[in-house]
Structure formats: structure tokens, C-alpha cells
Amino acid sequence: MVIITTINEAWAEPGSILDLFLESFWSGDGTQELVRHLVIVSLDQKAHQYCQAVHPHCYALTTPGVSFTGTPATFKSDEFMLMVWRRMEFYTSVLKLGIDFVFTDVDIVWFRNPFPHFHEDADFQIACDIYTGDDSELHYNSMNGGFGFVRSNDRARRFFQHWHDSRERFPGMHEQDVLNKIKDEPFIDEIGLRVKVLDTDHFGGICQPIKDLNVGCTMHATCCIGMESKIRALTAVLQDWKHFSSSPPESRNSTSFVWKPERTGCWM
């Protein structure tokens, strides 16, 4: 069991999103045991130094001639594109080592162990922004590349290599947009890849939040633009979770709990 997240300096400092991410593991329901399976991949030296100060499993992923140190890369900027495609290349190399893994953006808080809610019959399963209600429907479910689980087998390795290589056919697109392009192509059927979309009842986001925290596993800061917005949103979500989890069992039902969107500063 391996869980992978990636950071650069902007995501890794005191009071940063990385701190909220790690805090969620320690305050979650049964997530403390997952910390030892978490590998934080740092894209620059300062991020790596901070990681080593707060977590035992850090991996420095260097890119010759490129530095990702500094402020957050603007969405779809050249630096952002380099970061996401470097991450995709890394994921592909991990699969080639024969390792199954969960990939998670760092702007996600974890409430409970997600493994019991993954599909047994899928090679590749991935979160979505808005869920249609059908976990096999690939076209209308808008896949989100920030969270998923992949099993290392020949089908998954071939698909991830194809996903990475497809960036050449869709210049200027980041990995999530490319995924949503190639998911309708015949290649998936040709290699027999078994794909499932994760529902937002268990794997939600600010775009479509979890309705019942008795079953919810993760919450992603989707629909939040900018670092400050994400920190504000995830801080509010963690506060709501702590209030919920410390409440008497009889008060923890799906109808009594309501997210407070005005506290997040994001769309809901």
C-alpha cells in the first residue's frame, strides 16, 4: 500500500496546505495508520527540506534544468504544465516498478480509510468533479486527476504511458484535460483497461461535497482558485469534520450535518 502526493515550496511551509493535509490524517477516523504508507514527493530542495522536518517518507524528484521553487505556478502556466507532466512521468515509472498506489493532490483532506471503498474489479479508478451516478460512465463523468487508485498491471502501465505520451497530441493541455480527451478513444477498450469513476458520496470536493460524513473519505479543494482560497476552504472543512467527529453518535446523521459554504470562499 503506497500513497503518493507531490509538493513544491509554495505548498510546503508552516501553515501551508501540506500541514492541513497531514493534520487530516492525524484527525481522521482510522487514517493514522496510513501515514506510514504516505510518500511525499518534493519537486524542489526547499520543499524537500520542509518535508523531512514533518514527515518520515520524502522523495526528492528533480528535473534537470528546471526549478519549481517559488510561488505557486499559475494554472496552465508553462511552469504548471511542466509540474503536472513531470508528476505523470513519475507515476508511470512507479507503475513500471510493479507498485500499486493511491495518488492524491495535497489540497485534499482525508476523513477515513478509502481502501474499503475502492472497486475490486478496476485497474484504474479516479475521482470526478461532478458525479452522474454511474461509476462505469466515462464520457459524462468529468474525471479529476487529483485523486485515484491504480493497480500495477500491464493494462494500467500501457494506459499511463499512453496518457503521458498523448500530451504531444494535445499541446497546451494539462494532464486532467488530456485524460478527459482520451477516455473516449478506443485505446482503453483495445487494451482491456477496467476503469471506474469514484462517487462523490465517498470522494467529494467543494464542487460537489460529501453529503454524509458517516461515509465520506476525502474532500478536495476543487472550485477553489488560488492558495489562500484553498487554505481557507480546507481549514473550514477540517473544522467541520472535527466538530462532527467529536459530536455524540446520536447526532451524527446525514440530515443534521450541513457544510458551511460561506466559510470556504469557494463555489458550491
Side-chain angles (χ1 to χ4, degrees):
M1 185 194 303
V2 178
I3 302 166
I4 299 173
T5 194
T6 57
I7 58 170
N8 75 336
E9 179 194 7
W11 301 81
E13 59 185 13
S16 65
I17 284 183
L18 177 60
D19 284 356
L20 292 169
F21 176 76
L22 291 173
E23 182 184 350
S24 73
F25 278 82
W26 293 114
S27 63
D29 180 6
T31 51
Q32 296 86 354
E33 64 186 37
L34 299 178
V35 173
R36 64 190 178 97
H37 299 281
L38 172 65
V39 177
I40 300 176
V41 178
S42 49
L43 296 169
D44 60 65
Q45 184 58 35
K46 289 186 177 180
H48 191 61
Q49 289 173 349
Y50 187 73
C51 177
Q52 290 179 312
V54 298
H55 188 66
H57 307 305
C58 305
Y59 181 83
L61 182 65
T62 58
T63 304
V66 178
S67 172
F68 295 115
T69 298
T71 56
T74 305
F75 186 61
K76 293 191 177 182
S77 66
D78 290 344
E79 184 185 28
F80 175 85
M81 294 296 186
L82 283 171
M83 288 175 62
V84 298
W85 286 113
R86 183 68 180 100
R87 181 176 65 179
M88 273 300 307
E89 184 180 11
F90 177 72
Y91 289 165
T92 304
S93 67
V94 172
L95 283 176
K96 289 177 179 178
L97 293 174
I99 298 172
D100 303 347
F101 63 91
V102 172
F103 55 93
T104 172
D105 279 358
V106 75
D107 61 338
I108 293 177
V109 292
W110 289 48
F111 303 133
R112 53 177 52 85
N113 187 342
F115 284 87
H117 303 284
F118 289 143
H119 300 274
E120 291 290 337
D121 59 344
D123 304 311
F124 173 52
Q125 43 205 301
I126 189 165
C128 63
D129 289 330
I130 305 295
Y131 183 61
T132 65
D134 182 354
D135 58 23
S136 298
E137 209 298 306
L138 305 187
H139 180 73
Y140 291 105
N141 282 310
S142 180
M143 295 178 177
N144 187 301
F147 186 89
F149 177 48
V150 57
R151 292 184 170 91
S152 179
N153 56 38
D154 183 63
R155 294 181 296 273
R157 288 189 288 270
R158 290 179 65 188
F159 177 72
F160 266 66
Q161 188 64 59
H162 174 72
W163 183 2
H164 179 265
D165 293 345
S166 293
R167 74 193 190 283
E168 303 294 342
R169 295 192 290 128
F170 302 99
M173 287 189 178
H174 59 78
E175 93 290 9
Q176 181 173 302
D177 282 350
V178 171
L179 174 62
N180 280 298
K181 288 287 188 180
I182 66 174
K183 68 185 182 183
D184 292 322
E185 295 179 346
F187 184 78
I188 288 179
D189 290 334
E190 289 171 1
I191 64 173
L193 184 75
R194 299 170 299 179
V195 185
K196 292 287 187 180
V197 179
L198 298 170
D199 65 73
T200 52
D201 288 337
H202 296 94
F203 305 95
I206 302 298
C207 292
Q208 192 174 67
I210 293 164
K211 294 182 177 65
D212 185 359
L213 271 179
N214 290 291
V215 299
C217 296
T218 62
M219 188 82 150
H220 194 173
T222 53
C223 292
C224 296
I225 306 299
M227 186 71 72
E228 291 184 4
S229 177
K230 289 179 180 290
I231 290 175
R232 185 168 58 248
L234 294 181
T235 298
V237 166
L238 264 182
Q239 289 173 348
D240 286 346
W241 162 255
K242 290 177 180 178
H243 176 74
F244 172 86
S245 59
S246 62
S247 301
E250 60 271 16
S251 67
R252 300 183 202 172
N253 62 73
S254 59
T255 58
S256 66
F257 180 80
V258 179
W259 293 108
K260 302 176 178 63
E262 68 277 2
R263 295 172 56 209
T264 69
C266 305
W267 316 317
M268 287 185 80

